[in-house]
Amino acid sequence: MRIRWKILIAMMAFVIFAAYPFAMAHYLRALKNSDTQLINLAGRQRLLSQIVSKDFLRWQNTAKRTEQQILKESLETNMRLFERTQEALLYGGNAPLTYDINGEHALISATFGDIFTRFNDADILAKTFFAAVRRSLETETKPSAADVEDERLLAVLSAGVGLLQEEYEDSFAHFFYIQAISLFLSLVVVLLCLRTVSKALFAPLKKVR
């Protein structure tokens, strides 16, 4: 093989393997941001379920029409926000990043496995709970206790958040380990490339001597 081709191949390998650790670091940062966003949204779901429970209890215990109307609007807004976010957590899609459902959104990936199961269980409980709340708001009657499992909903959502946090910690540790190995291999390849270039350049000079 000609010296020119040896140098060219060695330099290409040098560039590729030198850039790989930086590309992996960029990927890890993106993965960290995505997982953090997912955990934050799941945590907000837990908070929203508590806000709906609290506001619904206040609605039932107040006789003031003005306050009832304010609470009714707040309940509907928070339930819609919960439902939109829950759909995105389950199946992927755009999820509101703020408490304004028409505000900034972000595209998130769907959940899988045990995490999906937990959030699907929460979705079933939330649908039953919210249907009871909306029925009560419309008819101005108290719902059945069996339909208002807000504490169970909170527990299932908390379990889902816990699983997301565990997955995040495991995946980040795993990719950090891969990055360390990749950095080591890249260093080895870079040194081999430098050795190849050095031999290709200086071997002809030794023959001249």
Side-chain angles (χ1 to χ4, degrees):
M1 185 182 291
R2 292 184 177 181
I3 294 175
R4 180 170 52 185
W5 285 109
K6 286 183 178 180
I7 294 174
L8 182 61
I9 292 172
M11 292 304 295
M12 287 177 63
F14 177 89
V15 171
I16 291 171
F17 281 91
Y20 182 77
F22 297 100
M24 179 63 76
H26 177 75
Y27 172 74
L28 286 173
R29 281 195 297 270
L31 182 70
K32 180 182 177 182
N33 292 338
S34 175
D35 287 351
T36 301
Q37 194 172 70
L38 207 61
I39 292 170
N40 288 340
L41 288 171
R44 190 183 68 188
Q45 290 295 85
R46 184 170 55 184
L47 179 60
L48 280 172
S49 73
Q50 294 176 289
I51 292 173
V52 170
S53 297
K54 183 190 71 174
D55 284 352
F56 184 51
L57 184 63
R58 287 175 59 197
W59 179 84
Q60 292 181 82
N61 293 327
T62 185
K64 298 178 180 178
R65 284 293 177 181
T66 304
E67 187 176 355
Q68 280 185 338
Q69 185 60 33
I70 293 172
L71 289 169
K72 184 177 180 179
E73 292 173 1
S74 175
L75 281 163
E76 186 57 41
T77 298
N78 287 322
M79 286 189 292
R80 285 176 56 223
L81 178 60
F82 182 99
E83 290 164 343
R84 178 78 65 83
T85 306
Q86 193 71 10
E87 183 179 359
L89 285 171
L90 287 171
Y91 308 111
N94 284 313
L97 293 180
T98 67
Y99 284 89
D100 179 7
I101 198 170
N102 297 316
E104 185 181 358
H105 284 62
L107 185 65
I108 63 172
S109 57
T111 51
F112 298 93
D114 291 339
I115 296 173
F116 176 87
T117 300
R118 288 289 182 278
F119 282 106
N120 190 53
D121 291 343
D123 191 54
I124 294 170
L125 289 169
K127 283 178 178 176
T128 302
F129 177 34
F130 292 172
V133 170
R134 287 180 171 119
R135 193 162 50 247
S136 292
L137 294 176
E138 185 178 345
T139 61
E140 296 189 353
T141 58
K142 288 189 176 182
S144 166
D147 293 333
V148 184
E149 295 188 281
D150 51 333
E151 291 184 4
R152 187 181 169 197
L153 172 60
L154 178 61
V156 174
L157 286 169
S158 296
V161 173
L163 287 174
L164 274 173
Q165 290 173 329
E166 287 177 16
E167 184 183 72
Y168 167 75
E169 291 168 2
D170 291 344
S171 63
F172 193 72
H174 177 69
F175 280 111
F176 183 79
Y177 177 69
I178 291 175
Q179 187 183 22
I181 294 176
S182 301
L183 184 61
F184 173 75
L185 292 176
S186 297
L187 181 61
V188 171
V189 171
V190 166
L191 291 174
L192 289 174
C193 290
L194 291 174
R195 184 172 179 272
T196 301
V197 172
S198 178
K199 286 178 66 177
L201 288 174
F202 293 110
L205 294 177
K206 289 182 180 179
K207 291 181 180 179
V208 172
R209 290 178 185 178

